Amino acid sequence: MKKGKELKTRRGIGYVLRKYHNYYLMLLPGLIFVILFLYLPILYNFIAFKDYKIFMGPFGSPWCGLDNFEKLFRTPDFIRIMRNTFALCFWKILIGFPVPILLALLINEVGNRIFQRTVQTVVYLPHFISWVIISTLASNLLSPADGAVNLFLNKLGVESIFFMGDSEYFRGVLVATDIWKEMGWSAIIYLAALAGVPTDLYEAATVDGASKLQKMRYVTFPCILPTVIIMLLLRIGGILNSNFEQVFTMYNSSVYDVADIIDTYVYRVGIIQTQYGFSAAAGLFKSIISFIMVVTCNWLSSKAGQESLF
């Protein structure tokens, strides 16, 4: 009897693989990428505890215990890069996280489907633009000499501002460009959640005389709240990931005091200077902190009676 069930299960799996083989083939490149660049490196995290020598390899290099972590914590720049990393992520979450939600709510309220889809397409297209191109556009637009932004400020009687080289403004440039690039793409998730809101709730609200704003407040937002909480938890879990590509392509030595984050510091010190054990220790430290934060926030969310990841 047991063998019959196993045979039936095997035939079922084989049938599914044959029937949907095209979809699995489409999934294969992404699956290989995730395994090679996300899961496989986890197995080699032990080099964080080794004095890694490139010619000796990960298994031949001598163990050094916690020396790499001690070096990371004792570096004079550690406090600065941690402060910059948390500050940048904090502002991106505080300002950038609500923007896709508001954008999705506004798009959802548009009655004209053609206009709605056009706006949705336009706002998520920047997601596919490389940060190299965006940093070049930002440099040209914000140029103190002939940038469009400074020319406009000059017309208003304001002196030109060196946005890309002034510590007072550069962090705002990072937050603004990140929001512009990703708000449309992130809004897709909330639009999908909005599509699942029962229409009878809106009909009941209309009967009760609710305005559009009241419907958004008392019907729409409560229905998508579980999705918002899940996305917030995931965002907090990656709080130490300040988008290396963005910062690396846009910052310069004059704004290191506010823009130098863990990833860029590890790249300069760990990768360029071939201190691979040190860079692995910094990466492992980031992962541990992120794990602690997402577990803590998940626990607080579940205790408050809200949605949680697990």
Side-chain angles (χ1 to χ4, degrees), residues 5 10 14 27 33 43-44 101 109 162 200 208 222 247 263:
K5 289 183 178 180
R10 289 175 184 175
L27 179 66
F33 176 85
L43 302 177
Y44 289 87
I101 302 173
E109 291 299 318
F162 191 12
D200 56 345
D208 291 338
V247 179
D263 291 336

Side-chain angles (χ1 to χ4, degrees), residues 134-150:
I134 292 179
S135 64
T136 303
L137 290 173
S139 298
N140 291 330
L141 288 173
L142 301 175
S143 171
D146 54 2
V149 175
N150 276 304

Side-chain angles (χ1 to χ4, degrees), residues 113-149:
R113 290 296 177 184
I114 297 177
F115 181 74
Q116 183 187 67
R117 293 178 180 179
T118 301
V119 171
Q120 184 179 345
T121 302
V122 170
V123 295
Y124 81 61
L125 279 178
H127 171 79
F128 301 98
I129 302 177
S130 167
W131 274 114
V132 177
I133 298 175
I134 292 179
S135 64
T136 303
L137 290 173
S139 298
N140 291 330
L141 288 173
L142 301 175
S143 171
D146 54 2
V149 175

Side-chain angles (χ1 to χ4, degrees), residues 153-171:
L153 292 176
N154 295 155
K155 294 290 185 180
L156 298 178
V158 181
E159 294 185 0
S160 297
I161 301 173
F162 191 12
F163 290 97
M164 303 295 287
D166 192 330
S167 299
E168 184 178 353
Y169 299 97
F170 185 73
R171 192 174 285 167

Side-chain angles (χ1 to χ4, degrees), residues 2-310:
K2 186 177 181 181
K3 289 183 178 180
K5 289 183 178 180
E6 290 179 355
L7 183 60
K8 185 177 180 181
T9 303
R10 289 175 184 175
R11 286 179 178 175
I13 294 174
Y15 171 76
V16 170
L17 290 175
R18 287 193 302 272
K19 184 178 180 180
Y20 301 105
H21 68 279
N22 291 331
Y23 299 104
Y24 287 111
L25 287 175
M26 293 173 60
L27 179 66
L28 192 60
L31 185 62
I32 293 174
F33 176 85
V34 169
I35 292 173
L36 288 179
F37 295 99
L38 295 180
Y39 287 101
L40 190 60
I42 294 177
L43 302 177
Y44 289 87
N45 271 333
F46 64 85
I47 67 172
F49 305 95
K50 284 197 169 191
D51 183 14
Y52 184 78
K53 308 294 183 183
I54 190 169
F55 294 107
M56 298 178 67
F59 298 101
S61 300
W63 294 93
C64 65
L66 299 176
D67 290 352
N68 289 321
F69 292 92
E70 184 177 355
K71 179 181 178 181
L72 175 65
F73 298 147
R74 287 191 175 185
T75 181
D77 299 320
F78 178 73
I79 299 298
R80 175 174 59 84
I81 62 177
M82 286 297 296
R83 182 179 65 247
N84 290 341
T85 303
F86 275 105
L88 185 58
C89 291
F90 172 78
W91 286 114
K92 284 185 177 181
I93 293 177
L94 181 66
I95 302 176
F97 184 77
V99 171
I101 302 173
L102 296 175
L103 179 62
L105 290 172
L106 292 174
I107 292 176
N108 188 63
E109 291 299 318
V110 176
N112 190 317
R113 290 296 177 184
I114 297 177
F115 181 74
Q116 183 187 67
R117 293 178 180 179
T118 301
V119 171
Q120 184 179 345
T121 302
V122 170
V123 295
Y124 81 61
L125 279 178
H127 171 79
F128 301 98
I129 302 177
S130 167
W131 274 114
V132 177
I133 298 175
I134 292 179
S135 64
T136 303
L137 290 173
S139 298
N140 291 330
L141 288 173
L142 301 175
S143 171
D146 54 2
V149 175
N150 276 304
L151 290 176
F152 177 74
L153 292 176
N154 295 155
K155 294 290 185 180
L156 298 178
V158 181
E159 294 185 0
S160 297
I161 301 173
F162 191 12
F163 290 97
M164 303 295 287
D166 192 330
S167 299
E168 184 178 353
Y169 299 97
F170 185 73
R171 192 174 285 167
V173 173
L174 292 177
V175 174
T177 51
D178 182 78
I179 293 174
W180 174 75
K181 186 176 187 296
E182 301 297 340
M183 65 178 182
W185 184 256
S186 300
I188 293 176
I189 298 174
Y190 301 111
L191 285 170
L194 288 169
V197 178
T199 56
D200 56 345
L201 294 179
Y202 291 114
E203 294 171 357
T206 302
V207 172
D208 291 338
S211 63
K212 280 196 171 184
L213 187 61
Q214 289 174 325
K215 290 178 185 178
M216 290 175 62
R217 180 179 177 183
Y218 296 107
V219 177
T220 306
F221 189 74
C223 288
I224 67 170
L225 185 59
T227 302
V228 173
I229 293 175
I230 293 297
M231 296 301 296
L232 180 60
L233 290 174
L234 292 174
R235 190 72 178 266
I236 292 174
I239 195 169
L240 294 183
N241 296 322
S242 304
N243 199 333
F244 168 78
E245 294 180 6
Q246 179 197 19
V247 179
F248 183 72
T249 55
M250 298 184 71
Y251 85 150
N252 54 75
S253 57
S254 61
V255 291
Y256 276 172
D257 57 325
V258 297
D260 197 19
I261 57 176
I262 295 176
D263 291 336
T264 54
Y265 179 78
V266 167
Y267 174 79
R268 286 201 321 275
V269 178
I271 305 300
I272 295 179
Q273 299 179 14
T274 66
Q275 300 181 35
Y276 299 111
F278 175 79
S279 60
L284 186 57
F285 170 73
K286 277 182 51 181
S287 299
I288 293 173
I289 296 299
S290 298
F291 177 76
I292 292 173
M293 293 193 67
V294 74
V295 169
T296 302
C297 291
N298 185 78
W299 178 78
L300 292 174
S301 177
S302 61
K303 286 296 182 182
Q306 300 297 330
E307 293 292 325
S308 58
L309 290 173
F310 46 85

